[in-house]
Amino acid sequence: LFHSMKTFLASLCLLGSLLHTLAQCTSEFHLEGDYLIGGLFDIHHVRDSVYLYRPEAIDCSSQLFILSSYRRFQLMRFSVEEINNSTNLLPNVSLGYDIFDHCSDTQIFPAILKLVSFSGTIQSWGEPHKNLSKVSKVTAVVGPFSSTNTLTIAPLFMPDLIPVVSYGAASSTFTKKLKYPSFLRTVHSNKEIIGVIVEIILHFNWRWVAFLNSDNDFGKDGLELFIKRIENTNICLAYTKGINDNTNTFQMFKQIQAQKIGVIIVFTTKLTAEALIESAIQVNITDKVWIAGDTWSLNKRLPKVKGIKNIGTVIGVSQPVVTIPGFDDFIYDSKSQTHCEKKEQNMFCNQVCNCSSLTPEDILAVDPSFSFSVYSAVYAIAHALHNTLQCGSGRCNGNITVYPYMVLAELKKSNFTLLNRSIKFDENGEPKFGSYSIVFWNHSGDAEEIGFYHFYPQRNFFINGTKIQWYTKGQVPTSICSKECTIGHAKKQNGIHECCFNCIICPSGTYINSSVDPYKCLKCKETEWSEEASTSCSLRVVEYIQFTDSGAIVIMVGAWFLVGLTAAMSVLFAINYNTPIVRSAGGPMCFLILGCLSLCSISVFFQFDKPTTSFCILRFLPFFLFYTVCLACFVVRSFQIVCIFKIAAKFPNLHSWWMKYHGQWLVITVAFLTQALLLLIGYSCAPPKPYNETVWYPDKIILSCDINLTATSSPVVLLLSLCCFCFIFSYMGKDLPKNYNEAKAITFCLLLLIFTWIIFATEYMLYRGKHIQTLNALAVLSSLYSFLLWYFLPKCYIIILQPHKNTQQYFQGLIQNYTKTISQ
C-alpha cells in the first residue's frame, strides 16, 4: 500500500509539473511591458507573386523560411530582455514588443494596422488629433529589413510621427525628410556601400564591369547611384540587368561573356544572389571577379557549394561582424523554453514561426550580417525612451505621458556608447557610426576580412590585396575593353563607352597629356617641337646668322672691298674722264653705275643678325632699287652700242632723236621712278616682316623675313624685263670689233648674273636653314661683282697697263675697219 501511494504521488507530481510548464509557455512574438516596441522581420519570404481579386492577408509561416532573418528576430528579443534586466537603462520600466513576420510587401497590412491602432481602432488622419491618448501604444518600430517593404509601410507610420528605425533599408530615397520625417536607420544608405564598391574597383584598376541588381527598389536605387558615382572616372558600365524570378540567366551570362567582362557586381537580395551564383555554376561561368553587396557577402552556404571555386574570385562588402555578449546564451535558453505558437496563431496572424525544430547551433552558425544594426536600433529607442521619461538615479518619471513624437525627438538627439561604439544620427536620420568590412571568400569557404572602410571620425579606406587568392594564381585579374595606349598615343573612342577605343599615334609637332585629355593630341607652341609619339614638347633651337659668324664676316669684308674698289675705279675714271675707254664705257654713266653698285651692297649687311622689320626692308630695298638703275644703264649702254654700229646707218632719224633728247637718261629715269613706285606700293601694302621658319626643321626656329610674293612680284618682273632687254641688245652686238667688244662683256656679266640666281633659287627650294641668308648675301655680292669685275676691271687694265689702246686714233681705226667689213 505504501509503495502504491508513493507511485501515485510521484505521478501526480509529474503531472503537476507538466501542467505548470504548459501554463508558463511564452510567446516569441509578443511581450507585455510598460511601453511597446514594434518589430518587423522577414522570417519568411514570399517568392512567387500572388495575384488576388480582393485584399487578403497571407499566412507567412507557410512560406520560404529565412534563417538569417530569424536570427535577427531573436536578436531583438535578446536586446529587449537585456534592457529589462538593466538597472541603468529604463530602471523600473519594462519594455515589451509586438513583432510580426513581414514576409510580403503587399499582404501584411493587418500587422501594420495593429501597430498603428489603439484598442483596435485607428483615428482618421484627416482629422486633428483631439485626443492624443488614443494614439498607438507602440512608441517606435524596429524594421523592416528591405527597402521595398519599408517604402510600402513607412507612410502609415509617418502621420503620427511614430519612429521607424530600420536595420536594413538602405535605399537613398529615405533621406527625404519631408516624406519620411520619422524614419531613421542604423545601416548606411546605398550611396555609401556603392562608394565602397567603386573604391574597390578603382583600387584594382578595373575598367569594364557589369552591374546586376535586384529588380526592386533596393536594386534600382543601387544602380542609379552606381551610374552617378562612376561619372568622371575611368570605370565603364558595360552591362546592367535587373534580376527577378523570370530572368533568363543563361542569356544574361552569354551576353556578359560576349563582351569579355571580367568584373561582375551583384547588388541583390540574399535569395536572388544565391540563385544567381548557383546559375553561374550551372552554366559554367569561370574566371570572373564577383563583388558582393552586404546582403550576401557573409553568406555561409554559397562558399561551400560544389563548383563555387570555378566561378572565379568573390570579394564582398559586409557589415562588420560584432560579437554581442550574452546572445549565444540567450539562444540556448530560448530554445529550451516552450512557446505557445498554436495558441498565438489564433490570436493574430503572422506571429507564428513553426521553427521549433531549429537548434541553437543552426541559429548561431548563420550569416550574422546586420546583427549590430538590430541591436543598436533597439538600444537607440530604449535610450530615447529613457530620456523622454527623464530617468535617472534608479527611477523614471512615471507622470510623463509618452507619445511617439517625443521619442522621435530624443532619437534624433541620440548620443550614447554601445559596445565601445558611439551611436549618433545626423539631421536626416542617417547613422553617424559604423563601418564596412571588405571580405574575400577563401578556399576554405570562409569570408576572410582583407580590408575596411571607416566613416567616422574620418573616412579611411584600406585593402590588403596580398591576402586575396586570385583565380589567376597570383596576379590581379584585369577587366578592360581596350588595352591602354602606349606612351605617345591618343585614344579614339570606339562605340558608346569611353573604355573602348583605338590608339592613334600623335604626329610630330604634337604631344599627349593623358592626365588631362587622353583623347587629343595637343599642338606644341610655335617655339616648341616634339617627335612622333611624344608626351611633352621641347624648346626649339633659335638659329640665325650673327654678325660675328665667320661666313658673315667674309661676306661683309667682300662688300666693303667692293665699295673700296668702286671708289678706286671712280677716281681712276675721273682722272681719265676724257679718254676713249672711259667715254666708250659710258662716260658719266660709269659713275652712276659704280655708285649704284656701292649702294646695292647695303643689302648685304642687313642679311645678318636677328631680323627686325627695318632689317627685313633693307635686306631687299637697296638691291631692288639701285640694281634697277644699274641694269637700266646697261640696257641703254647695249642699245647705244648697237645703235652706233648698226642702227645709225639704217635709221638715221631714230638716232638723231635719241641723241637730241638724251634718250639714255630718259630710260634710266623712267626705270628708276617705276621701280621706286612699285616698291613704295608693295611695301606699303605688305612690308617684309620677321618670320619664324618652323616647317622645314621641327626642332629649330629659323629667324628670317617673310616676303609677300604679291608685293615683290612687280619689282622682280621689272628687273627681269630689264635683264632680258639688256641681254637682247648685248647679244645683237656680239659681232662687233674684237677689241671693241663691250656688248660681249655685258652679255657675259648677264650670264653670270642669271646663273647666280638660278643656283640660289635651287638652293632656296631645297634648303631653308639659317645659312640661306648667307647664300642670299653671297648671291647679291656675286651679282655686284659680276659687273664690277667683268665690265669695269678690263677697262681699268687698259687704262693702267695698255695706255696705247686708250687713244683716239686706235678707236677710230677699229671703227673704220668694222665699217669697211659691213660695206663689203
Side-chain angles (χ1 to χ4, degrees):
L1 182 63
F2 177 76
H3 177 72
S4 301
M5 184 64 70
K6 184 177 181 181
T7 303
F8 173 75
L9 290 175
S11 300
L12 186 62
C13 182
L14 183 62
L15 178 62
S17 176
L18 180 61
L19 291 173
H20 177 77
T21 301
L22 289 173
Q24 294 296 321
C25 66
T26 60
S27 169
E28 287 191 301
F29 289 87
H30 182 76
L31 176 67
E32 288 295 334
D34 298 328
Y35 299 95
L36 283 183
I37 300 177
L40 297 171
F41 292 84
D42 54 341
I43 301 173
H44 295 85
H45 178 69
V46 178
R47 290 298 300 266
D48 299 322
S49 300
V50 180
Y51 298 95
L52 302 172
Y53 293 100
R54 60 191 180 120
E56 182 178 312
I58 192 170
D59 179 15
C60 289
S61 61
S62 61
Q63 303 300 317
L64 179 67
F65 178 69
I66 304 176
L67 183 55
S68 58
S69 292
Y70 181 72
R71 187 183 193 276
R72 290 189 283 270
F73 157 73
Q74 291 292 352
L75 194 55
M76 177 176 173
R77 295 182 61 240
F78 164 73
S79 303
V80 172
E81 180 176 301
E82 188 176 58
I83 291 168
N84 285 335
N85 292 333
S86 172
T87 57
N88 296 321
L89 186 60
L90 292 174
N92 297 321
V93 174
S94 63
L95 273 183
Y97 51 75
D98 214 359
I99 305 176
F100 294 90
D101 189 352
H102 197 81
C103 63
S104 168
D105 59 340
T106 58
Q107 295 171 278
I108 40 68
F109 283 102
I112 306 303
L113 296 175
K114 184 175 186 296
L115 288 175
V116 299
S117 66
F118 175 78
S119 299
T121 61
I122 300 175
Q123 186 171 346
S124 174
W125 291 327
E127 302 175 3
H129 289 190
K130 298 178 181 179
N131 188 357
L132 290 176
S133 63
K134 292 186 178 181
V135 176
S136 170
K137 188 179 179 182
V138 175
T139 57
V141 176
V142 175
F145 177 68
S146 75
S147 296
T148 299
N149 290 346
T150 307
L151 284 167
T152 304
I153 63 95
L156 300 176
F157 294 97
M158 299 299 112
D160 291 329
L161 295 180
I162 298 174
V164 176
V165 186
S166 176
Y167 54 89
S171 175
S172 61
T173 191
F174 295 117
T175 57
K176 302 173 182 177
K177 289 297 102 178
L178 288 176
K179 194 172 182 180
Y180 303 101
S182 63
F183 177 85
L184 299 92
R185 53 184 161 196
T186 53
V187 290
H188 290 280
S189 69
N190 283 340
K191 180 180 179 181
E192 303 295 354
I193 191 171
I194 289 296
V196 179
I197 290 173
V198 171
E199 288 288 346
I200 294 173
I201 296 172
L202 292 174
H203 178 81
F204 291 111
N205 204 30
W206 293 320
R207 296 290 178 264
W208 194 234
V209 302
F211 193 96
L212 308 181
N213 58 281
S214 298
D215 191 18
N216 57 18
D217 301 285
F218 167 74
K220 293 175 182 176
D221 180 65
L223 175 61
E224 291 177 4
L225 291 169
F226 184 77
I227 293 173
K228 186 175 180 180
R229 178 64 179 80
I230 63 175
E231 290 179 359
N232 302 319
T233 68
N234 292 326
I235 302 171
C236 290
L237 182 55
Y239 182 84
T240 179
K241 182 74 173 177
I243 302 173
N244 53 41
D245 295 336
N246 300 319
T247 300
N248 186 340
T249 54
F250 175 78
Q251 186 66 27
M252 179 187 71
F253 283 125
K254 185 178 179 181
Q255 293 172 346
I256 291 175
Q257 290 284 70
Q259 296 190 58
K260 298 180 181 179
I261 302 171
V263 175
I264 303 174
I265 303 158
V266 181
F267 197 78
T268 66
T269 61
K270 174 188 174 183
L271 295 177
T272 303
E274 288 179 345
L276 180 70
I277 297 301
E278 288 173 348
S279 175
I281 296 172
Q282 290 175 3
V283 299
N284 196 30
I285 298 299
T286 60
D287 299 340
K288 304 292 181 188
V289 174
W290 304 78
I291 300 180
D294 58 350
T295 54
W296 67 282
S297 56
L298 295 182
N299 193 291
K300 298 293 185 179
R301 186 178 68 84
L302 279 179
K304 295 178 173 61
V305 171
K306 184 179 179 181
I308 190 67
K309 294 180 182 178
N310 297 332
I311 69 170
T313 304
V314 179
I315 297 174
V317 181
S318 74
Q319 299 286 330
V321 177
V322 180
T323 301
I324 300 176
F327 179 63
D328 292 4
D329 295 335
F330 171 81
I331 292 298
Y332 280 101
D333 292 342
S334 177
K335 282 299 161 184
S336 66
Q337 298 176 6
T338 303
H339 302 291
C340 311
E341 290 180 349
K342 294 191 177 296
K343 177 181 176 182
E344 291 182 357
Q345 192 171 9
N346 296 325
M347 288 176 52
F348 208 86
C349 59
N350 296 335
Q351 287 189 314
V352 179
C353 181
N354 290 334
C355 44
S356 57
S357 60
L358 289 175
T359 65
E361 289 76 13
D362 294 334
I363 299 171
L364 296 175
V366 79
D367 177 3
S369 296
F370 302 95
S371 295
F372 186 75
S373 300
V374 175
Y375 190 62
S376 57
V378 176
Y379 263 89
I381 295 171
H383 276 274
L385 187 59
H386 181 92
N387 294 331
T388 303
L389 293 173
Q390 300 176 358
C391 299
S393 302
R395 63 185 184 84
C396 297
N397 189 347
N399 297 324
I400 297 176
T401 302
V402 177
Y403 297 107
Y405 75 88
M406 300 166 66
V407 179
L408 175 64
E410 293 299 331
L411 263 173
K412 292 180 178 180
K413 297 186 289 184
S414 295
N415 188 1
F416 63 93
T417 301
L418 184 66
L419 299 183
N420 297 322
R421 289 165 173 80
S422 178
I423 308 300
K424 297 178 182 179
F425 298 96
D426 65 13
E427 62 276 6
N428 293 319
E430 300 291 311
K432 294 178 68 175
F433 60 92
S435 62
Y436 281 114
S437 295
I438 300 170
V439 298
F440 148 72
W441 288 7
N442 60 29
H443 293 167
S444 302
D446 298 321
E448 180 181 346
E449 185 172 347
I450 57 169
F452 56 79
Y453 191 100
H454 292 159
F455 294 100
Y456 300 98
Q458 61 183 10
R459 294 179 180 266
N460 186 15
F461 172 74
F462 171 77
I463 186 168
N464 186 358
T466 59
K467 289 186 175 181
I468 304 175
Q469 300 164 348
W470 300 108
Y471 67 83
T472 53
K473 309 298 182 183
Q475 291 185 343
V476 178
T478 59
S479 183
I480 55 176
C481 179
S482 301
K483 288 185 178 180
E484 282 298 317
C485 294
T486 54
I487 294 175
H489 288 68
K491 298 177 182 178
K492 183 179 180 182
Q493 189 169 323
N494 183 13
I496 61 172
H497 295 291
E498 291 185 356
C499 296
C500 302
F501 49 82
N502 298 320
C503 295
I504 309 297
I505 191 169
C506 288
S508 58
T510 65
Y511 71 100
I512 181 77
N513 188 345
S514 299
S515 61
V516 176
D517 187 357
Y519 294 89
K520 188 176 182 181
C521 295
L522 303 173
K523 276 190 173 183
C524 294
K525 296 178 181 177
E526 189 176 333
T527 57
E528 297 176 336
W529 75 284
S530 68
E531 294 181 347
E532 192 177 62
S534 295
T535 57
S536 62
C537 295
S538 303
L539 286 174
R540 293 175 184 254
V541 178
V542 180
E543 290 188 349
Y544 60 92
I545 300 298
Q546 298 180 346
F547 282 124
T548 55
D549 186 81
S550 57
I553 293 173
V554 170
I555 291 173
M556 287 188 291
V557 169
W560 281 115
F561 182 74
L562 182 141
V563 173
L565 198 58
T566 56
M569 288 181 179
S570 298
V571 171
L572 182 63
F573 280 18
I575 295 171
N576 299 276
Y577 182 76
N578 293 317
T579 62
I581 284 292
V582 175
R583 291 169 64 188
S584 67
M589 199 178 293
C590 292
F591 299 103
L592 178 60
I593 295 172
L594 290 171
C596 286
L597 289 176
S598 298
L599 292 173
C600 284
S601 66
I602 295 173
S603 295
V604 173
F605 297 96
F606 292 97
Q607 298 288 342
F608 309 112
D609 207 41
K610 190 174 183 179
T612 61
T613 302
S614 58
F615 265 52
C616 289
I617 292 174
L618 292 174
R619 275 186 183 183
F620 305 101
L621 180 62
F623 180 74
F624 280 156
L625 187 60
F626 297 113
Y627 207 73
T628 299
V629 176
C630 292
L631 285 178
C633 290
F634 283 109
V635 167
V636 169
R637 188 68 192 129
S638 301
F639 177 77
Q640 285 179 330
I641 293 170
V642 175
C643 181
I644 292 170
F645 288 98
K646 293 186 177 184
I647 299 177
K650 297 180 180 180
F651 304 101
N653 293 330
L654 179 62
H655 180 262
S656 63
W657 181 91
W658 179 269
M659 298 302 294
K660 180 180 179 181
Y661 292 102
H662 304 285
Q664 68 273 25
W665 297 111
L666 185 62
V667 171
I668 294 169
T669 303
V670 170
F672 174 75
L673 292 176
T674 302
Q675 186 69 294
L677 182 62
L678 291 176
L679 288 170
L680 180 63
I681 295 172
Y683 280 20
S684 298
C685 296
K689 55 187 177 183
Y691 169 70
N692 295 338
E693 173 58 64
T694 58
V695 177
W696 282 68
Y697 304 98
D699 59 337
K700 298 177 182 178
I701 296 178
I702 308 299
L703 300 185
S704 60
C705 291
D706 181 26
I707 303 173
N708 189 290
L709 293 178
T710 305
T712 57
S713 57
S714 298
V716 171
V717 168
L718 180 59
L719 279 174
L720 291 174
S721 301
L722 291 173
C723 190
C724 290
F725 281 119
C726 187
F727 187 81
I728 291 170
F729 291 137
S730 61
Y731 184 77
M732 290 172 63
K734 66 181 187 303
D735 56 347
L736 294 177
K738 183 177 180 181
N739 294 327
Y740 189 85
N741 203 350
E742 293 188 22
K744 288 183 178 180
I746 294 174
T747 303
F748 183 73
C749 292
L750 288 174
L751 288 174
L752 283 178
L753 175 67
I754 294 169
F755 184 68
T756 297
W757 287 102
I758 287 175
I759 292 175
F760 175 75
T762 304
E763 291 173 342
Y764 188 77
M765 287 189 291
L766 300 176
Y767 172 73
R768 294 290 179 87
K770 68 175 182 176
H771 294 290
I772 195 69
Q773 302 305 327
T774 303
L775 296 175
N776 194 357
L778 195 60
V780 170
L781 203 60
S782 176
S783 302
L784 303 179
Y785 270 107
S786 64
F787 284 111
L788 191 68
L789 296 179
W790 303 109
Y791 183 79
F792 289 105
L793 191 61
K795 294 171 176 47
C796 294
Y797 175 79
I798 292 173
I799 292 173
I800 298 172
L801 299 178
Q802 294 179 340
H804 65 279
K805 293 182 179 181
N806 190 18
T807 62
Q808 191 72 26
Q809 295 81 5
Y810 183 79
F811 270 80
Q812 286 179 353
L814 292 175
I815 294 171
Q816 288 173 1
N817 291 334
Y818 178 74
T819 305
K820 289 178 182 179
T821 303
I822 293 176
S823 63
Q824 290 175 358

